[in-house]
Structures are given as C-alpha cells and as structure tokens.
Amino acid sequence: EAERRYKEDAKPFDDYQKKIAKMSDQYVAGDPPQVAVARCVLTWLGDWARARAILGIMSAQGGFVRKWGLGVIAVAYLKVRGEPTLDGGNKKGVKIWIRRLARTVRAEYSTGTERSSRRNNHLYWAAWSVMAAAVALDDSDLFDWSVGRYRFAIDQIEDDGTLPLEMARRSKALHYHLYSIPPLVLIAETGARNGIDLYAEQGGALHRLIGRTVAGLDDPSFFAARSGYEQRWGGTLNAAKLAWMEPYYARFKDPAVVKWIRRFRPLGHTRQGGDLTLLFGRKKLVVE
C-alpha cells in the first residue's frame, strides 16, 4: 500500500521528467533544430521554476526523488540553452531554480554521513545531478564538490571490482552494482570533457567495477558466491539499465559491452539524460 501511494504521488514529477527529457532530445535530434521545441522545454522548466517546485521539506524518499530529478532538469536545460531565440529572463529564472536545487541536494548529501544513503549509490546519483547542474550554471564550487564525492565513491571499489555497500544488498548485489555505474560514468565523462581524467583515478578503479559487473551479466556466479545469495534482478535487464554503455564505449571501445549495446539499442534512461544513443552512440561497433 505504501508503494502504491508513493508511485501515485511521484507520478506527476516522473511524467514531467520523462517529457522534458524527450522534448530536449527532440531538439538535439532536429536537423535543422526545432526552435519551438526548445522554447517548449524552457517554458516547462520556467513554469516549475516560478513555482519553486520540489524545494520544500521532504521525506527521505522525497529527497531521493529530488536528487534524481535535479539531474534530469539540469541536462534538459543544457540541451536547449544554446538556442539563441530563447527568452533571457526565463533562462535566468530556470538557472536560479537549478542553483537552489543543487545547493539543497549538496547540503543533504553533506550531512548525516554515517547513513548508508550518504555513502552508497544514492551519493553517486546526487554527485552526478549536482555536476550536471554545475555545468549548466558554470559553477566551479558545485563541480568541485561532485568531483570530491566521485573520488569518495571510487575509493570504495575493491581490487576485485566490487563495492562493499552494494555487495551487502545480498540477492540484489549485481543489480545495485549495475545501478551504481551510470552516475560514476557520467561524472567521469563530464570530467574528461573538462580536462580531468577521472576514469584513471585509483588505478582505473571504475574500469574494474565495470569489468566485474559486465561479466556478471553473463555469469552472476561471482556475485552469488561473494554475497552468499542467488542473484535476482530488480525488474528486468533493459536499455535503461545499460544506457551508460554508450558514452563508455564511445570513449574506450570496450568490446565487452558491444553485444549489450546491439541487443538493446536505442539505449536511454531519463535519469541519465535521455537518449544516450542519440547523444553518444557510435554507429560503427567493433566485433565482440
């Protein structure tokens, strides 16, 4: 009953995120760009900005939803902000809103650090959302905070490529390892585009995590043995769970992810910024 109520309460915000992600992708894909679509995205963002949406006091779960939503909002704005015909006043209002959201999320994930949600995948997603906002706002303080949280995450990766806090998920250990990868890849990719090689941190620990997890997609026995539990998925393996493979493959040409990209394309996930095949995908893939 609690889950039913949660889904009902969250649906308007979920629908909003899906729509702005889809519309902003439509603008990126347009050739020539569809000016009306960019204006529509900004209107949707501006309406919520004027309402100071999702800035109030929230439950713990509400805070989780807010931090996921921040990334979606920031990336949607990033995709359309270069359209020269957009209203400057509306853009200013949206940026103020994004900054308030980012500072709220940063504050939430800078306190209560003894809680697992301030150290596990929730922190990684918060860091990614704040980094997306940092780029949208050209805010070095927010950017630096996200890099620091990324380094905290990378420090947790064991020599065998596992994350202790996600291994503790027992039958969902593999599921949560896979769920932990997208924000870390997106942060590392953003760092690379800003002159910081975050992929190489801690001897390439992110590559170890990815290698271990991708191997687990074919054979989860390592995770079963390590956790002591038979592995079960939360939902099904799908394009949303693997969308991060597009930017990762575009940079490293890792043959281990090719068959998954081919199987599930187009790869996309609202929380990862929309259609990542559109944004990063390479048409030519190496043979597995």
Side-chain angles (χ1 to χ4, degrees), residues 5 21 45 54-55 89 96 100 209 220 232 244 252:
R5 290 199 307 270
L45 293 171
I54 62 170
L55 280 170
I96 291 171
R100 286 171 174 161
L209 171 62
R232 293 186 174 89
W244 61 270
F252 295 106

Side-chain angles (χ1 to χ4, degrees), residues 113-121 123-124 152 156 165:
T113 53
E114 73 285 353
R115 288 145 56 184
S116 61
S117 65
R118 300 304 188 256
R119 295 177 288 122
N120 66 6
N121 71 80
L123 174 65
Y124 314 162
F152 175 85
Q156 297 178 68
L165 291 174

Side-chain angles (χ1 to χ4, degrees), residues 108-183:
E108 286 178 337
Y109 282 84
S110 299
T111 59
T113 53
E114 73 285 353
R115 288 145 56 184
S116 61
S117 65
R118 300 304 188 256
R119 295 177 288 122
N120 66 6
N121 71 80
H122 283 289
L123 174 65
Y124 314 162
W125 282 100
W128 157 241
S129 290
V130 171
M131 179 169 275
V135 175
L137 302 168
D138 298 319
D139 188 315
S140 60
D141 288 338
L142 292 174
F143 188 90
D144 290 345
W145 180 85
S146 299
V147 170
R149 296 303 85 202
Y150 171 88
R151 288 174 170 151
F152 175 85
I154 293 300
D155 284 347
Q156 297 178 68
I157 299 173
E158 303 277 8
D159 291 342
D160 64 4
T162 60
L163 288 161
L165 291 174
E166 309 309 335
M167 192 59 72
R169 303 292 188 127
R170 300 180 177 182
S171 65
K172 297 289 182 62
L174 176 57
H175 168 86
Y176 276 102
H177 274 73
L178 189 61
Y179 189 65
S180 296
I181 290 174

Side-chain angles (χ1 to χ4, degrees), residues 69-83:
L70 168 61
V72 181
I73 290 162
V75 172
Y77 175 71
L78 269 170
K79 283 186 280 188
V80 303
R81 72 172 183 178
E83 169 54 49

Side-chain angles (χ1 to χ4, degrees), residues 18 21 29 44 68 87 90 118 134 150 156 163 169 188 209 221 256 260 277 287:
K18 290 174 183 176
W44 279 52
W68 290 320
D87 179 75
N90 214 1
R118 300 304 188 256
Y150 171 88
Q156 297 178 68
L163 288 161
R169 303 292 188 127
L209 171 62
S221 60
W260 301 107
T277 297
V287 178

Side-chain angles (χ1 to χ4, degrees), residues 2-274:
E3 183 179 15
R4 184 197 65 77
R5 290 199 307 270
Y6 161 66
K7 289 182 176 179
E8 184 178 280
D9 290 345
K11 188 177 186 304
F13 188 37
D14 288 343
D15 290 345
Y16 175 78
Q17 293 174 77
K18 290 174 183 176
K19 188 65 176 178
I20 60 173
K22 185 175 181 179
M23 286 195 297
S24 56
D25 280 340
Q26 185 181 347
Y27 174 73
V28 171
D31 187 17
Q34 300 177 50
V35 173
V37 174
R39 291 175 180 170
C40 193
V41 172
L42 188 66
T43 296
W44 279 52
L45 293 171
D47 286 347
W48 281 52
R50 282 186 289 276
R52 297 172 60 88
I54 62 170
L55 280 170
I57 297 172
M58 294 190 177
S59 66
Q61 185 64 32
F64 295 161
V65 171
R66 171 164 50 203
K67 67 107 174 354
W68 290 320
L70 168 61
V72 181
I73 290 162
V75 172
Y77 175 71
L78 269 170
K79 283 186 280 188
V80 303
R81 72 172 183 178
E83 169 54 49
T85 65
L86 294 181
D87 179 75
N90 214 1
K91 287 175 68 175
K92 182 179 179 181
V94 169
K95 289 174 69 176
I96 291 171
W97 180 47
I98 292 173
R99 191 180 306 279
R100 286 171 174 161
L101 285 172
R103 288 176 174 173
T104 298
V105 171
R106 179 178 63 179
E108 286 178 337
Y109 282 84
S110 299
T111 59
T113 53
E114 73 285 353
R115 288 145 56 184
S116 61
S117 65
R118 300 304 188 256
R119 295 177 288 122
N120 66 6
N121 71 80
H122 283 289
L123 174 65
Y124 314 162
W125 282 100
W128 157 241
S129 290
V130 171
M131 179 169 275
V135 175
L137 302 168
D138 298 319
D139 188 315
S140 60
D141 288 338
L142 292 174
F143 188 90
D144 290 345
W145 180 85
S146 299
V147 170
R149 296 303 85 202
Y150 171 88
R151 288 174 170 151
F152 175 85
I154 293 300
D155 284 347
Q156 297 178 68
I157 299 173
E158 303 277 8
D159 291 342
D160 64 4
T162 60
L163 288 161
L165 291 174
E166 309 309 335
M167 192 59 72
R169 303 292 188 127
R170 300 180 177 182
S171 65
K172 297 289 182 62
L174 176 57
H175 168 86
Y176 276 102
H177 274 73
L178 189 61
Y179 189 65
S180 296
I181 290 174
L184 298 177
V185 167
L186 292 170
I187 290 170
E189 187 61 27
T190 305
R193 289 164 184 256
N194 284 272
I196 308 172
D197 188 3
L198 296 176
Y199 283 111
E201 299 264 328
Q202 293 297 333
L206 180 55
H207 299 300
R208 295 200 304 274
L209 171 62
I210 289 170
R212 175 62 68 191
T213 305
V214 172
L217 300 181
D218 277 321
D219 180 7
S221 60
F222 174 88
F223 286 89
R226 186 84 152 70
S227 68
Y229 291 83
E230 180 184 354
Q231 294 301 291
R232 293 186 174 89
W233 283 107
T236 59
L237 186 62
N238 55 33
K241 291 182 173 70
L242 303 179
W244 61 270
M245 288 183 174
E246 291 285 16
Y248 187 73
Y249 179 80
R251 184 165 294 277
F252 295 106
K253 313 299 186 299
D254 183 355
V257 303
V258 170
K259 76 172 185 178
W260 301 107
I261 293 175
R262 284 183 171 152
R263 177 177 170 184
F264 287 108
R265 263 185 174 176
L267 301 182
H269 185 206
T270 301
R271 290 179 189 169
Q272 295 178 50

